Amino acid sequence: MGRGCATLGQGGRPVKTKHIELPLTDKSLKGLELGTAVYLQGTVYTGREGLYKRVLDQGVEPPVPLQSLGNANFHCSPAASVNEDGTYNLGAVTATASFRFARWLSQWFEISGCRVIIGKGGMTEDDYRTHFVPNGAIYLSTVGYGTGALLGRGIKRIRDVYWLEELGIAQAMWVLDVENFGPFLVESDMLGNSLFEREGRIINENVDSLYDGLRQPALKRYGETTSRSDEVV
C-alpha cells in the first residue's frame, strides 16, 4: 500500500491517496478514511441488477465460485465489443448508480464475501449501516462524470466474461485484471459514515449565508421551491 498526495480538498488540504492491492484485507480497509483517493491493483468483477436478480431472485448458481473472483464488485457498464475471433475490446468502464441495488446487497455480501462495492453516487448512511457494516465492507465512488475512458486505462486484461449471452454486455459479469485503477473516493467507511452525506450537511448548515445582503427574489423562489428550507444543494 502506497501513500501520496493528490489535488487539494476541503479547506485546501491535500487529498490523501492510497494504492491498494486486491483482494482487500481488514488492515487495508480499516486504514481508509472518508475522502481518500484510492487506486486499485488486482482483480475486480462487474456485477449489477442483472447478476443479482439471476443469482439471488431466481436462484441460479453463479457461473464460478464467487470467492475465487476476489472481493471487489464494480457496478458498471463496460463499453465493450466482441471480435470475430471471440476476443473482446474494452475501451472504457462507466460506473452506474449503486443506490438502485441496495436491496440485494446484504445477501450478496453473504454469498460472495465481497468487501468493497465500486460505483457512482453512493448510498445512504442507513444503507451502509444496514448492509455494509455488518459485512465489513465499504463503498468507493467514481470521481465525477466522464471518467470511463480514464478508468479503462487501468484495465490490463479481461480474464473472463460470464453470462454474456444471457445478460448482454452491460449486465454480464466481466472479470478484469487492473493496475493503477482509479481514482475512486472512499465514500463510506467501516463505521457506515458517508462522505457525501457529511459534506451535504456542512453545506446545508451554511446555505443561508449565501443570501446574506441580497434583496428578496422578485419571484419569491429559491431554485425550484418557494421555501428556502426545501432547497436542495
Side-chain angles (χ1 to χ4, degrees):
M1 180 185 299
R3 294 182 296 175
C5 292
T7 57
L8 296 182
Q10 183 186 25
R13 295 189 297 270
V15 174
K16 294 182 179 179
T17 303
K18 291 194 175 183
H19 295 260
I20 297 179
E21 295 283 341
L22 297 171
L24 284 95
T25 64
D26 287 340
K27 181 179 180 180
S28 59
L29 284 167
K30 289 179 180 177
L32 292 178
E33 301 176 6
L34 294 182
T36 299
V38 170
Y39 294 83
L40 303 174
Q41 179 165 317
T43 301
V44 304
Y45 64 88
T46 69
R48 44 185 296 185
E49 75 271 27
L51 178 65
Y52 297 157
K53 287 179 181 178
R54 190 169 174 83
V55 174
L56 300 176
D57 294 349
Q58 300 170 18
V60 178
E61 283 292 320
V64 62
L66 295 171
Q67 288 81 358
S68 70
L69 303 178
N71 58 15
N73 177 188
F74 190 13
H75 291 162
C76 85
S77 298
S81 60
V82 184
N83 300 318
E84 291 184 359
D85 62 0
T87 59
Y88 307 98
N89 292 316
L90 198 163
V93 282
T94 302
T96 193
S98 296
F99 72 91
R100 299 175 293 147
F101 316 139
R103 68 182 182 90
W104 287 290
L105 288 182
S106 286
Q107 286 181 278
W108 186 253
F109 287 136
E110 183 178 349
I111 70 168
S112 69
C114 182
R115 302 295 302 276
V116 60
I117 296 290
I118 308 165
K120 180 178 71 177
M123 303 183 193
T124 68
E125 287 184 338
D126 284 343
D127 286 333
Y128 293 140
R129 290 168 183 166
T130 300
H131 306 302
F132 285 67
V133 172
N135 293 286
I138 67 165
Y139 186 92
L140 300 180
S141 177
T142 51
V143 180
Y145 288 86
T147 58
L150 174 64
L151 295 177
R153 297 176 187 175
I155 298 172
K156 298 306 176 186
R157 182 168 73 100
I158 301 171
R159 178 180 293 185
D160 284 301
V161 184
Y162 299 103
W163 287 344
L164 183 62
E165 292 186 5
E166 294 86 345
L167 298 178
I169 285 176
Q171 299 281 352
M173 177 186 285
W174 296 76
V175 184
L176 310 171
D177 289 335
V178 300
E179 182 180 324
N180 204 35
F181 188 50
F184 303 105
L185 284 178
V186 178
E187 150 60 4
S188 81
D189 60 18
M190 296 292 283
L191 298 176
N193 298 307
S194 164
L195 171 68
F196 297 155
E197 287 200 17
R198 184 190 72 183
E199 298 304 306
R201 287 191 290 266
I202 294 171
I203 291 171
N204 288 331
E205 286 174 0
N206 295 283
V207 71
D208 282 347
S209 66
L210 297 176
Y211 299 94
D212 287 347
L214 298 179
R215 289 187 289 179
Q216 289 291 320
L219 298 178
K220 304 295 184 184
R221 288 170 63 88
Y222 304 95
E224 297 300 320
T225 178
T226 57
S227 170
R228 188 175 298 178
S229 63
D230 295 333
E231 190 166 37
V232 178
V233 177

Short mmCIF file of all heavy atoms in Angstrom, two decimals, residues 128-160:
data_model
loop_
_atom_site.label_atom_id
_atom_site.label_comp_id
_atom_site.label_asym_id
_atom_site.label_seq_id
_atom_site.Cartn_x
_atom_site.Cartn_y
_atom_site.Cartn_z
N TYR A 128 -25.56 1.91 4.33
CA TYR A 128 -24.22 1.47 4.74
C TYR A 128 -24.27 0.74 6.07
O TYR A 128 -23.63 -0.31 6.24
CB TYR A 128 -23.27 2.66 4.84
CG TYR A 128 -22.96 3.33 3.52
CD1 TYR A 128 -22.89 4.72 3.43
CD2 TYR A 128 -22.76 2.59 2.37
CE1 TYR A 128 -22.61 5.34 2.23
CE2 TYR A 128 -22.49 3.21 1.16
CZ TYR A 128 -22.42 4.58 1.09
OH TYR A 128 -22.14 5.21 -0.10
N ARG A 129 -25.01 1.27 7.02
CA ARG A 129 -25.03 0.67 8.36
C ARG A 129 -25.86 -0.61 8.40
O ARG A 129 -25.59 -1.49 9.23
CB ARG A 129 -25.53 1.71 9.36
CG ARG A 129 -24.49 2.80 9.56
CD ARG A 129 -24.97 4.02 10.29
NE ARG A 129 -23.88 5.02 10.34
CZ ARG A 129 -24.05 6.28 10.67
NH1 ARG A 129 -25.25 6.74 10.98
NH2 ARG A 129 -23.01 7.11 10.68
N THR A 130 -26.82 -0.72 7.48
CA THR A 130 -27.64 -1.93 7.43
C THR A 130 -26.96 -3.05 6.66
O THR A 130 -26.96 -4.21 7.10
CB THR A 130 -29.01 -1.63 6.78
OG1 THR A 130 -29.70 -0.66 7.55
CG2 THR A 130 -29.85 -2.90 6.68
N HIS A 131 -26.36 -2.72 5.51
CA HIS A 131 -25.84 -3.75 4.61
C HIS A 131 -24.32 -3.89 4.65
O HIS A 131 -23.80 -5.01 4.58
CB HIS A 131 -26.26 -3.44 3.17
CG HIS A 131 -27.73 -3.24 2.99
ND1 HIS A 131 -28.67 -4.21 3.33
CD2 HIS A 131 -28.44 -2.18 2.52
CE1 HIS A 131 -29.88 -3.76 3.06
NE2 HIS A 131 -29.77 -2.53 2.56
N PHE A 132 -23.60 -2.77 4.75
CA PHE A 132 -22.15 -2.80 4.63
C PHE A 132 -21.45 -3.12 5.94
O PHE A 132 -20.60 -4.01 6.01
CB PHE A 132 -21.64 -1.46 4.10
CG PHE A 132 -21.87 -1.24 2.63
CD1 PHE A 132 -23.15 -1.10 2.10
CD2 PHE A 132 -20.79 -1.16 1.75
CE1 PHE A 132 -23.36 -0.89 0.75
CE2 PHE A 132 -20.99 -0.95 0.38
CZ PHE A 132 -22.27 -0.81 -0.11
N VAL A 133 -21.77 -2.38 6.99
CA VAL A 133 -21.05 -2.51 8.26
C VAL A 133 -21.07 -3.93 8.80
O VAL A 133 -20.02 -4.47 9.19
CB VAL A 133 -21.59 -1.50 9.30
CG1 VAL A 133 -20.97 -1.77 10.66
CG2 VAL A 133 -21.27 -0.07 8.85
N PRO A 134 -22.23 -4.63 8.83
CA PRO A 134 -22.23 -6.00 9.36
C PRO A 134 -21.36 -6.96 8.56
O PRO A 134 -20.97 -8.02 9.07
CB PRO A 134 -23.70 -6.41 9.29
CG PRO A 134 -24.46 -5.12 9.27
CD PRO A 134 -23.60 -4.18 8.50
N ASN A 135 -21.04 -6.59 7.32
CA ASN A 135 -20.24 -7.45 6.45
C ASN A 135 -18.82 -6.93 6.24
O ASN A 135 -18.10 -7.43 5.37
CB ASN A 135 -20.95 -7.62 5.10
CG ASN A 135 -22.25 -8.39 5.23
OD1 ASN A 135 -22.24 -9.59 5.41
ND2 ASN A 135 -23.37 -7.69 5.16
N GLY A 136 -18.44 -5.91 7.03
CA GLY A 136 -17.08 -5.40 6.94
C GLY A 136 -16.73 -4.84 5.58
O GLY A 136 -15.60 -5.01 5.10
N ALA A 137 -17.68 -4.15 4.95
CA ALA A 137 -17.50 -3.65 3.58
C ALA A 137 -17.57 -2.13 3.54
O ALA A 137 -18.15 -1.49 4.42
CB ALA A 137 -18.55 -4.25 2.65
N ILE A 138 -17.00 -1.56 2.49
CA ILE A 138 -17.05 -0.13 2.25
C ILE A 138 -17.48 0.14 0.81
O ILE A 138 -17.58 -0.79 -0.01
CB ILE A 138 -15.68 0.56 2.50
CG1 ILE A 138 -14.66 0.09 1.46
CG2 ILE A 138 -15.20 0.29 3.92
CD1 ILE A 138 -13.43 0.96 1.39
N TYR A 139 -17.71 1.44 0.52
CA TYR A 139 -18.11 1.86 -0.82
C TYR A 139 -17.08 2.84 -1.37
O TYR A 139 -16.69 3.79 -0.69
CB TYR A 139 -19.48 2.53 -0.79
CG TYR A 139 -20.05 2.87 -2.15
CD1 TYR A 139 -20.88 1.97 -2.82
CD2 TYR A 139 -19.76 4.08 -2.77
CE1 TYR A 139 -21.40 2.27 -4.06
CE2 TYR A 139 -20.27 4.38 -4.01
CZ TYR A 139 -21.09 3.48 -4.66
OH TYR A 139 -21.59 3.78 -5.90
N LEU A 140 -16.67 2.61 -2.63
CA LEU A 140 -15.80 3.53 -3.36
C LEU A 140 -16.59 4.13 -4.51
O LEU A 140 -17.25 3.40 -5.26
CB LEU A 140 -14.57 2.82 -3.92
CG LEU A 140 -13.63 2.14 -2.93
CD1 LEU A 140 -12.47 1.48 -3.69
CD2 LEU A 140 -13.09 3.13 -1.90
N SER A 141 -16.53 5.44 -4.66
CA SER A 141 -17.27 6.13 -5.71
C SER A 141 -16.32 6.66 -6.78
O SER A 141 -15.21 7.10 -6.48
CB SER A 141 -18.06 7.31 -5.12
OG SER A 141 -18.73 8.03 -6.15
N THR A 142 -16.79 6.63 -8.03
CA THR A 142 -16.05 7.28 -9.09
C THR A 142 -16.02 8.78 -8.83
O THR A 142 -16.83 9.33 -8.07
CB THR A 142 -16.69 7.02 -10.46
OG1 THR A 142 -18.09 7.34 -10.39
CG2 THR A 142 -16.52 5.57 -10.86
N VAL A 143 -15.10 9.47 -9.48
CA VAL A 143 -14.89 10.90 -9.26
C VAL A 143 -15.48 11.65 -10.44
O VAL A 143 -14.90 11.73 -11.52
CB VAL A 143 -13.38 11.22 -9.13
CG1 VAL A 143 -13.17 12.71 -8.89
CG2 VAL A 143 -12.78 10.40 -7.99
N GLY A 144 -16.69 12.21 -10.26
CA GLY A 144 -17.32 12.99 -11.31
C GLY A 144 -17.79 12.12 -12.47
O GLY A 144 -17.86 10.90 -12.40
N TYR A 145 -18.12 12.80 -13.58
CA TYR A 145 -18.61 12.13 -14.77
C TYR A 145 -17.53 12.11 -15.85
O TYR A 145 -16.57 12.86 -15.80
CB TYR A 145 -19.86 12.85 -15.30
CG TYR A 145 -21.08 12.64 -14.44
CD1 TYR A 145 -21.32 13.46 -13.34
CD2 TYR A 145 -21.98 11.63 -14.73
CE1 TYR A 145 -22.45 13.27 -12.54
CE2 TYR A 145 -23.11 11.42 -13.94
CZ TYR A 145 -23.33 12.25 -12.86
OH TYR A 145 -24.43 12.06 -12.08
N GLY A 146 -17.74 11.25 -16.83
CA GLY A 146 -16.84 11.23 -17.98
C GLY A 146 -15.49 10.60 -17.71
O GLY A 146 -14.52 10.88 -18.41
N THR A 147 -15.40 9.73 -16.69
CA THR A 147 -14.12 9.12 -16.35
C THR A 147 -13.99 7.69 -16.87
O THR A 147 -13.03 7.01 -16.54
CB THR A 147 -13.91 9.11 -14.82
OG1 THR A 147 -14.99 8.39 -14.21
CG2 THR A 147 -13.87 10.53 -14.26
N GLY A 148 -14.95 7.25 -17.66
CA GLY A 148 -14.92 5.87 -18.14
C GLY A 148 -13.67 5.51 -18.90
O GLY A 148 -13.07 4.45 -18.70
N ALA A 149 -13.23 6.40 -19.79
CA ALA A 149 -12.03 6.13 -20.57
C ALA A 149 -10.78 6.15 -19.68
O ALA A 149 -9.85 5.36 -19.88
CB ALA A 149 -11.88 7.14 -21.70
N LEU A 150 -10.77 7.06 -18.70
CA LEU A 150 -9.64 7.11 -17.76
C LEU A 150 -9.54 5.80 -16.99
O LEU A 150 -8.45 5.22 -16.85
CB LEU A 150 -9.83 8.27 -16.79
CG LEU A 150 -8.82 8.38 -15.65
CD1 LEU A 150 -7.42 8.63 -16.18
CD2 LEU A 150 -9.22 9.50 -14.68
N LEU A 151 -10.67 5.30 -16.50
CA LEU A 151 -10.66 4.03 -15.78
C LEU A 151 -10.27 2.89 -16.71
O LEU A 151 -9.61 1.93 -16.28
CB LEU A 151 -12.03 3.76 -15.17
CG LEU A 151 -12.48 4.74 -14.08
CD1 LEU A 151 -13.89 4.40 -13.62
CD2 LEU A 151 -11.52 4.72 -12.90
N GLY A 152 -10.68 3.00 -17.98
CA GLY A 152 -10.34 1.95 -18.94
C GLY A 152 -8.84 1.75 -19.10
O GLY A 152 -8.38 0.65 -19.39
N ARG A 153 -8.08 2.80 -18.87
CA ARG A 153 -6.63 2.68 -18.98
C ARG A 153 -6.04 1.76 -17.92
O ARG A 153 -4.95 1.23 -18.09
CB ARG A 153 -5.97 4.07 -18.87
CG ARG A 153 -6.35 5.04 -19.97
CD ARG A 153 -5.73 6.40 -19.71
NE ARG A 153 -6.21 7.41 -20.66
CZ ARG A 153 -5.92 8.70 -20.60
NH1 ARG A 153 -5.14 9.13 -19.61
NH2 ARG A 153 -6.40 9.54 -21.47
N GLY A 154 -6.77 1.62 -16.82
CA GLY A 154 -6.28 0.78 -15.74
C GLY A 154 -6.59 -0.69 -15.92
O GLY A 154 -6.15 -1.52 -15.12
N ILE A 155 -7.33 -1.05 -16.97
CA ILE A 155 -7.66 -2.46 -17.22
C ILE A 155 -6.55 -3.08 -18.07
O ILE A 155 -6.33 -2.69 -19.21
CB ILE A 155 -9.01 -2.59 -17.91
CG1 ILE A 155 -10.12 -2.02 -17.01
CG2 ILE A 155 -9.30 -4.05 -18.27
CD1 ILE A 155 -11.46 -1.94 -17.67
N LYS A 156 -5.87 -4.04 -17.50
CA LYS A 156 -4.74 -4.66 -18.18
C LYS A 156 -5.13 -5.93 -18.92
O LYS A 156 -4.49 -6.31 -19.90
CB LYS A 156 -3.64 -4.98 -17.16
CG LYS A 156 -3.08 -3.73 -16.49
CD LYS A 156 -2.62 -2.70 -17.52
CE LYS A 156 -2.16 -1.41 -16.88
NZ LYS A 156 -1.85 -0.37 -17.90
N ARG A 157 -6.18 -6.60 -18.44
CA ARG A 157 -6.56 -7.86 -19.10
C ARG A 157 -8.00 -8.21 -18.75
O ARG A 157 -8.44 -7.99 -17.61
CB ARG A 157 -5.64 -8.99 -18.64
CG ARG A 157 -5.91 -10.34 -19.29
CD ARG A 157 -4.78 -11.31 -18.99
NE ARG A 157 -4.80 -11.77 -17.61
CZ ARG A 157 -5.30 -12.94 -17.20
NH1 ARG A 157 -5.84 -13.76 -18.09
NH2 ARG A 157 -5.25 -13.29 -15.93
N ILE A 158 -8.73 -8.71 -19.74
CA ILE A 158 -10.03 -9.31 -19.48
C ILE A 158 -9.78 -10.78 -19.19
O ILE A 158 -9.43 -11.55 -20.07
CB ILE A 158 -10.97 -9.15 -20.68
CG1 ILE A 158 -11.18 -7.68 -21.01
CG2 ILE A 158 -12.31 -9.83 -20.41
CD1 ILE A 158 -11.93 -7.45 -22.31
N ARG A 159 -9.96 -11.14 -17.93
CA ARG A 159 -9.65 -12.52 -17.55
C ARG A 159 -10.74 -13.47 -18.02
O ARG A 159 -10.47 -14.54 -18.56
CB ARG A 159 -9.49 -12.62 -16.03
CG ARG A 159 -9.22 -14.04 -15.55
CD ARG A 159 -9.07 -14.12 -14.05
NE ARG A 159 -7.86 -13.43 -13.60
CZ ARG A 159 -7.44 -13.42 -12.34
NH1 ARG A 159 -8.15 -14.04 -11.41
NH2 ARG A 159 -6.34 -12.79 -12.00
N ASP A 160 -12.01 -13.09 -17.78
CA ASP A 160 -13.14 -13.93 -18.17
C ASP A 160 -14.38 -13.06 -18.33
O ASP A 160 -14.44 -11.94 -17.81
CB ASP A 160 -13.45 -14.99 -17.10
CG ASP A 160 -12.47 -16.15 -17.11
OD1 ASP A 160 -12.36 -16.81 -18.17
OD2 ASP A 160 -11.80 -16.38 -16.08
#
